[in-house]
Amino acid sequence: MTRIVITGATGAIGQALATGYARPGNRLVLHGRQHEVLESLAADCRGAGAEVECSSVDLGDDEALFAWLASLCDPSPPEIVIINAGININIGEDGSGEQWEDASRLLEINLRVPMAMGNFLGKRMRAAGRGQLVLMSSLAAYHGLPVTPSYSASKAGVKAYGEALRGWLAPHGVGVTVVMPGYVSSKMCHEMPGPKPFLWQPERAARVISRGIEKDRARISFPFPLDFGCWWLAVLPAAISQRLVKWFGYHIDPDHGAKR
């Protein structure tokens, strides 16, 4: 029985991943905040032959989070843990800036929680000599977008942390994969300001992610044209990258708001 944990399972990518892994021989542990969506997803996965356990533990509560993770590691850690839960905020249609309370919550869910889970599970997977940690970053990690500064920062942090974990854990038989998606159709995606080039559907993204996990790839980034362009933003002189970001529409027009 292969145990696969997915946080953020009620989001678009999370649901698609859960559905993709739903088959006989797999035991899914699905975590999500939307209870009705979670129960419906669990029923579909059970119908496909998987065993399913659901959780809505508060990931921001260290005591509750670590107790949950400890239960998942009894008697041994899961084979695959996909740390997918995340939120997004932006500077507003008038460009007035993010609210600090919102930015603080975002950093907790998007960065602190993946680090806490990676720290806890990494040690136990290392001791067991097996396991796969999957951290969800973004192509926004290459170069911060002016319209989503906190989101960009959190995903850059996840990218760096996941790369470091891989260097630490790989010699002990533990894989770590950093996923860097571009735009994947979802409520969160469509609420983000700015254009959405090369938009993928969640099912396509999930297939690419699951194939990359199976191959223990260090990085899964897509789609290629956007990945290539964002990579250049990271290596070009900052002044040029800033001009390109503005030229592509990732800024606030005081008269017309953000482009969508």
Side-chain angles (χ1 to χ4, degrees), residues 162-180:
E163 291 165 348
L165 278 187
R166 186 177 177 92
W168 170 47
L169 294 172
H172 303 278
V174 179
V176 179
T177 296
V178 175
V179 182
M180 299 177 65

Side-chain angles (χ1 to χ4, degrees), residues 38-193:
L38 188 62
E39 291 301 327
S40 175
L41 175 63
D44 290 342
C45 292
R46 291 186 184 106
E51 294 186 15
V52 182
E53 174 186 332
C54 295
S55 173
S56 294
V57 65
D58 182 357
L59 299 178
D61 181 333
D62 280 359
E63 185 176 351
L65 172 62
F66 293 143
W68 179 57
L69 296 178
S71 72
L72 296 179
C73 292
D74 184 14
S76 61
E79 281 71 25
I80 301 173
V81 178
I82 303 175
I83 306 171
N84 173 63
I87 59 177
N88 196 7
I89 61 172
N90 59 72
I91 60 175
E93 293 189 1
D94 60 353
S96 59
E98 301 170 336
Q99 297 297 314
W100 175 245
E101 293 80 2
D102 296 334
S104 181
R105 174 63 174 167
L106 179 147
L107 291 171
E108 178 181 53
I109 297 300
N110 288 15
L111 180 56
R112 190 176 183 277
V113 167
M115 290 178 67
M117 293 184 66
N119 179 279
F120 188 99
L121 294 169
K123 294 173 183 176
R124 286 151 181 81
M125 288 181 171
R126 182 178 183 269
R130 61 169 182 78
Q132 185 84 21
L133 287 170
V134 183
L135 286 78
M136 194 66 62
S137 180
S138 165
L139 291 183
Y142 280 129
H143 184 88
L145 298 178
V147 292
T148 53
S150 293
Y151 178 82
S152 300
S154 71
K155 295 305 182 180
V158 168
K159 174 179 177 291
Y161 188 69
E163 291 165 348
L165 278 187
R166 186 177 177 92
W168 170 47
L169 294 172
H172 303 278
V174 179
V176 179
T177 296
V178 175
V179 182
M180 299 177 65
Y183 293 104
V184 177
S185 184
S186 66
K187 182 176 183 294
M188 187 172 80
C189 170
H190 293 297
E191 288 177 347
M192 290 174 64

Side-chain angles (χ1 to χ4, degrees), residues 5-21 28-31 37-38 41 45 82-85 136 184-186 202-203 205-206 209:
V5 180
I6 304 174
T7 67
T10 54
I13 294 178
Q15 289 187 61
L17 283 168
T19 301
Y21 280 116
L28 306 182
V29 180
L30 306 179
H31 175 278
V37 175
L38 188 62
L41 175 63
C45 292
I82 303 175
I83 306 171
N84 173 63
M136 194 66 62
V184 177
S185 184
S186 66
E203 294 76 17
I209 293 169

Side-chain angles (χ1 to χ4, degrees), residues 72 242 253:
L72 296 179
Q242 291 286 357
D253 184 330

Side-chain angles (χ1 to χ4, degrees), residues 1-2 4 20-28 45-51:
M1 182 69 67
T2 300
I4 303 163
Y21 280 116
R23 54 183 177 268
N26 284 350
R27 178 177 180 81
L28 306 182
C45 292
R46 291 186 184 106
E51 294 186 15

